[in-house]
Amino acid sequence: MAEIRAVFWDIGGVLASNGWDREQRRAVLQQFGVPADEFEERHELVFGTFERGHMTLDEYLDRTVFSRSQNFSHEQFKAAMFAQSKPNPEALAVAREVSASKKYICATLNNESRELNLYRIEQFGLKEIFTVFVSSCYVGMRKPDEAMFRLGLDLLQVPAAEACMIDDRALNLESAKQLGIHIIEFKSADRLREQLREVGVEVRPAMSAVNGD
Ligand SMILES: [Mg+2]
């Protein structure tokens, strides 16, 4: 097996909670008393454009939440959106360890809108871990587009056989696998350590493995 030189990481559902997925939307809509049905219909129409970086967060909110007058502000709603983002410290520790070894180039390969992506990069200290951010909002593509994985490989200048992709969604991993990228379906930080070791990435074993549980 070719040695792994590049590790691509999803962010939402791996290194942190999802940014603006169904559960985050439900919580924030409830908080502001916005009817979900109407919102979701509008969200469906624009979220692809939004996540590909062709629409600002304010424009997105104008099209979804503020298509009618509301008794709260864009800023209040945005603060609630951002507050939904929570880190996964154990998974972040694995990413930090892989990156600190200097044996691998680490990049994100994630679907996120620009403002939320930036918030999460800063909030979770991702610039200290990752060299490149292949984020949908910067590259104008979304997973599972095969083209996005190809771009990731081109940017890092590694062949597919020397790369692995970590994602919590099996559907996103299908096209990466088609290209010959090693795939890791994220379940937990402990399991991730095992999965990385299985593809030859040097990382400490999970504590449960050390303790023999
Ligand atoms: Mg994800």
Side-chain angles (χ1 to χ4, degrees):
M1 191 167 84
E3 247 179 72
I4 298 290
R5 292 198 297 125
V7 185
F8 290 103
W9 299 72
D10 180 23
I11 299 179
V14 177
L15 299 171
S17 59
N18 280 318
W20 190 232
D21 218 313
R22 198 164 287 274
E23 56 190 307
Q24 289 77 33
R25 299 199 297 273
R26 196 185 302 123
V28 175
L29 294 177
Q30 247 175 29
Q31 199 177 323
F32 289 92
V34 175
D37 291 3
E38 190 184 318
F39 173 89
E40 287 295 333
E41 202 178 336
R42 289 174 166 273
H43 168 84
E44 280 301 314
L45 287 176
V46 296
F47 87 96
T49 310
F50 179 45
E51 281 197 342
R52 286 186 189 89
H54 303 311
M55 184 181 262
T56 66
L57 177 53
D58 278 321
E59 287 165 347
Y60 165 80
L61 292 178
D62 283 341
R63 294 288 295 276
T64 53
V65 181
F66 295 94
S67 59
R68 58 171 74 207
S69 69
Q70 302 286 9
N71 59 0
F72 51 87
S73 69
H74 280 65
E75 295 314 312
Q76 286 171 316
F77 195 89
K78 281 192 257 185
M81 281 178 85
F82 292 164
Q84 289 291 317
S85 281
K86 300 279 187 279
N88 180 340
E90 292 82 16
L92 283 165
V94 180
R96 249 182 250 115
E97 191 183 322
V98 172
S99 166
S101 76
K102 308 261 189 242
K103 292 187 179 118
Y104 316 96
I105 318 170
C106 288
T108 72
L109 203 150
N110 65 308
N111 290 346
E112 203 65 73
S113 61
R114 181 174 282 265
E115 291 84 348
L116 255 177
N117 203 43
L118 182 60
Y119 173 83
R120 290 152 67 85
I121 288 170
E122 287 179 349
Q123 198 71 14
F124 308 143
L126 302 187
K127 276 190 237 178
E128 291 143 35
I129 302 174
F130 300 103
T131 313
V132 177
F133 291 84
V134 188
S135 303
S136 62
C137 58
Y138 305 143
V139 301
M141 304 172 206
R142 293 177 75 248
K143 288 182 288 184
D145 292 357
E146 223 178 82
M148 187 159 165
F149 294 105
R150 253 190 248 116
L151 178 65
L153 294 172
D154 286 344
L155 289 173
L156 268 52
Q157 285 294 297
V158 289
E162 295 176 17
C164 78
M165 172 77 215
I166 303 159
D167 202 295
D168 62 314
R169 288 197 180 146
L171 276 176
N172 281 340
L173 290 168
E174 282 178 12
S175 42
K177 192 177 180 186
Q178 285 286 329
L179 290 173
I181 297 172
H182 297 271
I183 56 162
I184 291 178
E185 189 179 340
F186 180 82
K187 298 290 182 197
S188 70
D190 270 1
R191 178 78 188 107
L192 175 60
R193 287 182 179 278
E194 292 168 15
Q195 289 164 309
L196 283 167
R197 289 162 67 88
E198 280 160 20
V199 296
V201 172
E202 291 174 32
V203 67
R204 283 199 310 272
M207 285 312 284
S208 55
V210 175
N211 297 335
D213 304 340

